Amino acid sequence: MIKKLFFFLFFISGFCALLYQTVWLRLAYANFGINAQVISIVVSVFMLGLVLGSWISGKYLIKLAKKYKIESLYFYSIAEIGIGIGALIIPKLFLMGHLWLLTFGQTNSWAYLGLSALVLSLDMLPWCFLMGTTIPLIMEFLNKHFTWDKNIFSFLYLANTFGAMVGTFLTAGVLIELLGFKKTLLFASFLNFLIALISIKIAKNLKLNPLRQEKKEEFKSFILKEINIKDKFILGLLFITGFSSVGFEVVWNRLFTPILETSVYAFAFILFLYLLGTCVGLLHYRNNIQKGKVLSTKILLQLLCIVSIGQIWFVDPRIGWGVIGVILCVFLISYILGYLTPKQIDKLSQGNPNTAGVAYAINLLGCIIGPIVASYILLPLIGSKLSIIFFSLPLIWFLIRKSEISTLQSYLRKPILIMVFVLLLLTVKFSTTFEEYMIAPNKIIKNDYNATVLAATLDQTDMRSKYLMVNGVGMTTLTPITKIMAHLPLASLPQNPKKALVICFGMGTTFRSAASWGFNTTAVELTPSVKEFFSYFFSDANQVLAKSNNQIIIDDGRRFLERTSEKYDLIAIDPPPPVEAAGSSLLYSKEFYEIAQTHLSKNGILAQWYPGGNENDKALQAVARSLIEVFPYVEVYQSVRQWGYHFFASNEPINIPNPEQIVKNMPLSAQDDLMEWNDYNDPNILSFIKRIISGKININQLLNSNKKIEVTDDQPYNEYFLVRNAN
């Protein structure tokens, strides 16, 4: 009965842990920028805390409890209380760190990258450390008082992983959408406090059933025994499986994006699949323990090497498995690891919490280093395909060691090893990823720390047929829509414009159009490689950038506004598509519009592009509501292509002039720029402008009567939509 109760408590604890990771990652995006480094640091620090907590708990806390005759269950309760407190403190710590880091330059500067990693680490580490202390403490408590189970680690690990799987699903799929970030954290914090209260009650009131005296002395000696580090193979394997598995996870976020796209549910889906596979592998292992027929490490390594190398074929676009390929890839790898990892720790520890704590810490140490190597080194230098190969190679080395290969002749007698190396060669030579598969003239691919960026031309006879893709997702094309974002608001100003800011550079069309007016124009782009493609899309790009009043800054657009004191006559925003993209609400929320509002000069205009949508689109209604909640004056124009909406917002009345006056307000260079792509064969610029302003609609047509349908930082309405779409 007591084991079942602690299975439930560890289920809840795992649920809360992944809830925190999901919410903390999203809050980290808001405060430190939407980039691969933030993902890596959050995951790595999470693991680092578990490493330190598991190691210190197994090595020192249990001895401390014995020395002062304190029940280890009390330490466990204190840890759960601390975790609950951390849930409430983390958002404030992130905000403090965010404000402090505003003075440290662009997001691609080494100062910012290093300091943001340090701030994130210091903010999260204490609470993740407390999470790591829990398994050794409960191992000691259960083995001391109820049952001496040599496989107790895998029992608790299963409960924790199962809870984490459910936590991932419910947090991303339900809780954030219904409750928002603050209430979701409050709910999890309450659960941690509840676990602590139940544990304290057990420690105080439950009549314990101690082991018989002769077993008690044996257990006392066993529990204090130091880890036997002679089995270096197991310890090394635990490190490498952690290193490669979480390294794979980071690469997957780039490799799978063309299939799963950029929704918040894509990351949650990968994590859910990983935890599901781990749970199934754990259940298989626990079931095999009962039957006395546990799979050998050698067999598991053979399977792991084959699947690790072959996973690229699962998502090869020529095969076309799509989402099925993603499921097979993630599930099979996590299933094997879910069996292999607890098996190694059970074998090494034999139920000893000290040994289990240190062994688990070594596994988690690999989980820390893997994502850092993936995001900071491998992905920028060699891309996703070779990164997968890199993380597979250490697993092959351990398989060779386990196979006891000493000569070439002994190697040739191992058909599985031959198959592994043949598959490795075939994968390196013939497999392909989405970016490599795209066939187009003048295709260029660049990798950086944030993304894989591809630019290509579909038709050499039509230079407008160029496109830009980031991580396999189409960003934009050469379209007059992005020119209108600059020209219409600038031509409507009652004063001569002096400064413009373009957030989200893309191909650079809006930036180039604003620059054609001849005043100071600044663009902000998050992904460094995107900036490098400007000259690919426009032959005069270098001439535009040669002018001292034009600049492109690598930074998060929202963060840039917070760290500058400049005011602008135009702030043009074109968030990355789709509207549901993870983190996109940070450029659609009320709080963002409030920041932008303070950076508009008198009569200045914010131009917000909303792609797609119709009057029944609730995400569109939420964006419209957020705008009118902040700005007293908002105008809306449907795109000249009848797709998407131009929102123009200001602190003063917006008076769009008649077409003749708009033309008169535009310098000749701006007129030429607007008419550069005469899609509609308009005879002159006046005719084209009439077409543009004929798309005006009343913003009330886009508002929902429910005023709660809006985008805020706490409830990113456009990003989380599963519940409302199910109704």
Side-chain angles (χ1 to χ4, degrees), residues 179-196:
L179 302 178
F181 295 123
K182 290 179 183 177
K183 289 181 180 178
T184 297
L185 289 175
L186 191 62
F187 170 68
S189 179
F190 166 77
L191 292 179
N192 286 124
F193 294 144
L194 184 61
I195 293 171

Side-chain angles (χ1 to χ4, degrees), residues 350-583:
Q350 297 291 298
N352 186 314
N354 176 11
T355 306
V358 175
Y360 187 39
I362 289 173
N363 178 249
L364 292 171
L365 183 62
C367 296
I368 296 167
I369 299 174
I372 294 174
V373 170
S375 60
Y376 282 89
I377 301 173
L378 297 180
L379 286 173
L381 293 180
I382 61 177
S384 55
K385 173 180 168 179
L386 292 180
S387 295
I388 291 290
I389 298 298
F390 177 90
F391 283 116
S392 299
L393 291 177
L395 301 173
I396 296 174
W397 185 81
F398 271 89
L399 175 59
I400 292 171
R401 282 198 58 193
K402 195 65 178 176
S403 301
E404 299 177 348
I405 301 296
S406 56
T407 64
L408 178 61
Q409 187 177 11
S410 61
Y411 169 78
L412 294 174
R413 286 198 293 264
K414 305 288 184 180
I416 292 293
L417 276 176
I418 294 173
M419 186 171 70
V420 166
F421 275 95
V422 169
L423 180 60
L424 178 63
L425 292 174
L426 289 174
T427 301
V428 172
K429 180 67 176 176
F430 297 109
S431 70
T432 186
T433 61
F434 181 84
E435 294 86 359
E436 295 171 330
Y437 177 66
M438 292 296 294
I439 300 173
N442 298 327
K443 178 180 70 176
I444 302 175
I445 299 174
K446 292 181 181 290
N447 290 294
D448 60 44
Y449 65 81
N450 197 45
T452 296
V453 184
L454 179 147
T457 307
L458 291 177
D459 183 355
Q460 283 289 82
T461 63
D462 179 11
M463 298 314 293
R464 287 274 307 284
S465 67
K466 296 177 179 178
Y467 63 91
L468 173 71
M469 304 187 82
V470 177
N471 288 340
V473 176
M475 290 291 110
T476 185
T477 58
L478 295 172
T479 169
I481 290 174
T482 45
K483 290 179 176 290
I484 293 166
M485 288 172 58
H487 291 307
L488 185 57
L490 287 172
S492 302
L493 293 172
Q495 75 274 12
N496 291 326
K498 296 179 180 178
K499 289 182 182 179
L501 174 68
V502 177
I503 294 176
C504 302
F505 182 72
M507 288 180 163
T509 307
T510 306
F511 168 75
R512 180 171 171 265
S513 294
S516 70
W517 285 68
F519 55 78
N520 293 333
T521 304
T522 299
V524 181
E525 172 56 45
L526 188 63
T527 303
S529 294
V530 169
K531 171 185 175 181
E532 296 175 22
F533 280 112
F534 187 30
S535 58
Y536 178 93
F537 297 115
F538 296 102
S539 59
D540 61 350
N542 292 331
Q543 295 172 264
V544 174
L545 291 176
K547 297 178 180 179
S548 60
N549 57 349
N550 298 326
Q551 62 175 333
I552 305 171
I553 293 173
I554 302 302
D555 204 347
D556 177 88
R558 178 165 171 161
R559 178 176 177 271
F560 174 80
L561 278 176
E562 290 186 279
R563 69 185 185 87
T564 185
S565 58
E566 298 286 348
K567 289 186 179 290
Y568 300 93
D569 298 296
L570 169 68
I571 299 177
I573 311 155
D574 185 6
V579 173
E580 301 83 10

Side-chain angles (χ1 to χ4, degrees), residues 40-41 43-49 51 238-248 250-251 361-378 390-391 394:
S40 296
I41 294 300
V43 172
S44 295
V45 172
F46 215 85
M47 297 298 180
L48 177 60
V51 166
L238 286 169
F239 174 83
I240 287 300
T241 51
F243 173 80
S244 295
S245 63
V246 185
F248 286 148
V250 173
V251 180
I362 289 173
N363 178 249
L364 292 171
L365 183 62
C367 296
I368 296 167
I369 299 174
I372 294 174
V373 170
S375 60
Y376 282 89
I377 301 173
L378 297 180
F390 177 90
F391 283 116

Side-chain angles (χ1 to χ4, degrees), residues 77-87 89 126-127 130 192-193:
S77 301
I78 292 170
E80 290 291 343
I81 291 171
I83 295 166
I85 293 172
I89 293 177
W127 325 109
L130 293 174
N192 286 124
F193 294 144

Side-chain angles (χ1 to χ4, degrees), residues 151-200:
N151 301 306
I152 190 67
F153 172 84
S154 57
F155 173 80
L156 296 173
Y157 187 56
L158 173 61
N160 222 229
T161 306
F162 184 39
M165 181 186 72
V166 176
T168 300
F169 174 77
L170 288 182
T171 302
V174 179
L175 293 176
I176 294 175
E177 182 178 353
L178 296 183
L179 302 178
F181 295 123
K182 290 179 183 177
K183 289 181 180 178
T184 297
L185 289 175
L186 191 62
F187 170 68
S189 179
F190 166 77
L191 292 179
N192 286 124
F193 294 144
L194 184 61
I195 293 171
L197 289 174
I198 293 172
S199 301
I200 292 170

